[in-house]
Amino acid sequence: MGKSVPTLAYGSWPSPVDAALAAAHDGRPDDVGLVGDEVWWTAPRPAEGGRRTLVRRHPDGTEEPVLPAPWNVRSRVIEYGGRPWAAHMTGTGPLVVFVNFADQRLYAYEPGGGEPRPLTPVSPVGGGLRWAEPEVRDEYGEVWCVLEEFTGDGPSDVRRVLAAVPLDGSAADDRDAVRELTGDRHRFVTGPRLSPDGRRAAWLAWDHPRMPWDGTELIVAEVGPEGTFRDARTVAGGPEESIAQADWAPDGALLYAGDRTGWWNLYRDGQPLCAREEEFGGPLWKLGQRWFAPLDSGLIAVVHGRGATALGILDPETGEVVDAAGPWTEFAGTLAAYGERVVAVGASPRSSYEVVELDARTGRARVVGAAHDDAVDPAYYPEPRIRTFTGPAGREIHAHLYPPHNPGCRAPDGELPPYVIWAHGGPTSRSPLVLDLEIAYFTSRGIGVAEVNYGGSTGYGREYRNRLREQWGVVDVEDCAAVALALAEEGTADRERLAVRGGSAGGWTAAASLATTDVYACGTVIYPILDLTGWGTGETHDFESRYLESLIGPYADVPDRYVERSPSEHADRVTVPFLLLQGLDDVICPPVQCERFLARMDGRGVPHAYLAFEGEGHGFRRAGTMVRALEAELSLYAQVFGLDPRGIPTLELAG
């Protein structure tokens, strides 16, 4: 006879997916590249202080880190960073140029040839000198990259230009030895892409108050024999057209992804290549993201899709796209190509992100790095469902549903499970449908999760993104609530045991949901925005300092709206328990926002906890932090929903 499955209440199911396991598998490979015959990428190391290392895959398939601890390959340009490394093959092996997170200097390194040597100086002014998107230009003896230079102590005392750094180290202590390729006419720039003949350079630029997904300019300049830029001109884009990426075809044609039709589609010298109502680009949260890569054959590798992404090969002559076969249902915005080899980062609901290589000649795709390994029996993984809900005014709301799932337990007949509504960050972003052990941490214990790609999310065209214009704190809150209530009304979730959680912009949505609705019994708010007036008038970094003009409206025109929407101004409306998680080194959503909110909650008798983590910034990276945060979140739900998760430290809630 078969083994009987025990009946246990939702939230009390024993699970092998503990917080340490989820933390160990947090993050993904990124910034892929091809160096000779080798595939390289950056990889997270939660157990090593949260650093990112550079990994190389040798032709025989072995992997090894290029740099030991404590080297941390990560840029802080625009705080969210940018591509932090490049490599150039020499007669003796690869020469690597990378940004080290601790001091933000650019270093050169030859594996096996001694310690990295600095190429750029340290500046005592403000946030110093920062670099991103390095490209080795051996013909000039330089590295071309983006320079972010602080001119004062304020977060907006900053200029950004394209710059050339000498490879000989002569600028290591001399800022004047850095050659500027452009002036600082534009507030933001991406790294230059050089045409095949070396005579033209292309890059993107934009200015406040636009964000790059609102409108960017594609600029092309002539490159002189000494590596100087001249006659720079705008060839595409504008205030209402976002160019997400630009590059050159082998024949010298200019390729770019622009959304003039409402969708990021590909163009060649201004002519559409594959006009479809799907995305061939995405929001430029990091400099150097790539959704397409031209191949030597004239074909183009593309990451594309609508609500999800695939890796394909586009024939620009016919507009036909042939997708790579394989288990992956989502690809990140990082691509590299050399010859007919394409390297990408893909995942699926049954596998975490891994490095994938596609041979464009044969169509064969295979995993070549960071291969997914089932740390537990995959029977404990969640089984997601793609859902579309109806929101206010009949608008569509896209969501991913992860019901409770554990092969070793069943719930009592008639019991409905608790559900947590997850609001993603950004808010100009989306939740991808991929294996996430943080979600499995809850679903395997009997707690459902619903990721809501609320209005404003990417992947569904510009019209869907624009739903959030001046409606942040309204549309996102309404859409999350609509999904939560629909789950309760259809009998999927327990109406009395609904929670909301989110980080960054999702933390805003979670906090605003607690302050303006009675849908949720509790909430988890992670490194959030809580006070729009403070955040919009100097309490955040330069990149997002004018973001609220599109999300809320110009402060000079609608100051009352900033007050009315802010959870910190309405702490008296929050009546249910909550958990607040914050990194003390966060300059994007600084701790003062949480402290101000908590001061207004003081003495109100609402159970809550505040966990602040030293050494953490915007996005937790250290294993210990992630374990503490996950266990605290589960304890909150256990106390509010009457669950028995077993073996989880009890979170102390203050009143």
Side-chain angles (χ1 to χ4, degrees), residues 213-378:
W213 42 86
D214 295 326
T216 54
E217 296 177 28
L218 173 52
I219 299 175
V220 173
E222 304 300 316
V223 179
E226 301 302 318
T228 56
F229 287 13
R230 61 175 185 263
D231 300 328
R233 61 197 184 280
T234 297
V235 299
E240 293 297 326
E241 180 183 1
S242 167
I243 309 294
Q245 181 195 335
D247 210 331
W248 300 92
D251 64 358
L254 183 59
L255 305 172
Y256 61 89
D259 73 345
R260 69 177 67 163
T261 65
W263 299 86
W264 276 301
N265 280 188
L266 284 184
Y267 295 84
R268 174 187 167 97
D269 288 338
Q271 298 302 309
L273 289 180
C274 182
R276 297 187 182 184
E277 289 191 348
E278 59 178 85
E279 308 285 28
F280 288 76
L284 200 64
W285 280 103
K286 288 177 55 181
L287 303 187
Q289 288 181 277
R290 302 191 75 195
W291 293 270
F292 71 87
L295 308 181
D296 287 351
S297 63
L299 302 176
I300 305 169
V302 293
V303 169
H304 70 106
R306 180 171 182 160
T309 50
L311 173 64
I313 300 296
L314 167 65
D315 184 340
E317 298 299 323
T318 65
E320 181 184 11
V321 179
V322 178
D323 288 336
W328 313 283
T329 57
E330 186 74 39
F331 282 86
T334 179
L335 273 182
Y338 182 75
E340 300 305 304
R341 296 174 67 193
V342 179
V343 180
V345 175
S348 79
R350 307 295 291 178
S351 61
S352 54
Y353 284 103
E354 46 196 2
V355 181
V356 177
E357 182 176 312
L358 170 64
D359 186 328
R361 293 167 299 185
T362 65
R364 179 174 178 244
R366 62 191 179 112
V367 175
V368 295
H372 170 76
D373 181 32
D374 289 317
V376 297
D377 185 340

Side-chain angles (χ1 to χ4, degrees), residues 278-507:
E278 59 178 85
E279 308 285 28
F280 288 76
L284 200 64
W285 280 103
K286 288 177 55 181
L287 303 187
Q289 288 181 277
R290 302 191 75 195
W291 293 270
F292 71 87
L295 308 181
D296 287 351
S297 63
L299 302 176
I300 305 169
V302 293
V303 169
H304 70 106
R306 180 171 182 160
T309 50
L311 173 64
I313 300 296
L314 167 65
D315 184 340
E317 298 299 323
T318 65
E320 181 184 11
V321 179
V322 178
D323 288 336
W328 313 283
T329 57
E330 186 74 39
F331 282 86
T334 179
L335 273 182
Y338 182 75
E340 300 305 304
R341 296 174 67 193
V342 179
V343 180
V345 175
S348 79
R350 307 295 291 178
S351 61
S352 54
Y353 284 103
E354 46 196 2
V355 181
V356 177
E357 182 176 312
L358 170 64
D359 186 328
R361 293 167 299 185
T362 65
R364 179 174 178 244
R366 62 191 179 112
V367 175
V368 295
H372 170 76
D373 181 32
D374 289 317
V376 297
D377 185 340
Y380 288 92
Y381 294 163
E383 297 181 347
R385 305 169 189 169
I386 300 174
R387 295 283 303 272
T388 301
F389 294 87
T390 301
R395 65 177 181 251
E396 287 188 343
I397 307 167
H398 302 286
H400 303 146
L401 197 64
Y402 298 86
H405 176 72
N406 185 314
C409 298
R410 64 181 300 272
D413 292 341
E415 182 183 356
L416 293 177
Y419 259 80
V420 185
I421 304 299
W422 283 28
H424 63 70
T428 308
S429 183
R430 66 181 174 89
S431 295
L433 188 65
V434 300
L435 178 63
D436 184 341
L437 291 188
E438 281 197 14
I439 293 177
Y441 178 75
F442 294 104
T443 58
S444 62
R445 286 170 168 77
I447 301 172
V449 170
E451 294 180 314
V452 181
N453 283 323
Y454 48 80
S457 300
T458 53
Y460 308 98
R462 190 176 184 112
E463 183 179 349
Y464 196 85
R465 294 204 311 273
N466 285 348
R467 287 185 188 179
L468 214 56
R469 283 202 168 182
E470 300 194 4
Q471 295 298 309
W472 196 36
V474 178
V475 165
D476 50 325
V477 170
E478 290 178 346
D479 285 1
C480 287
V483 171
L485 293 174
L487 293 175
E489 290 167 3
E490 71 185 27
T492 298
D494 185 341
R495 174 65 182 88
E496 303 305 315
R497 296 193 293 177
L498 297 172
V500 63
R501 76 101 87 163
S504 188

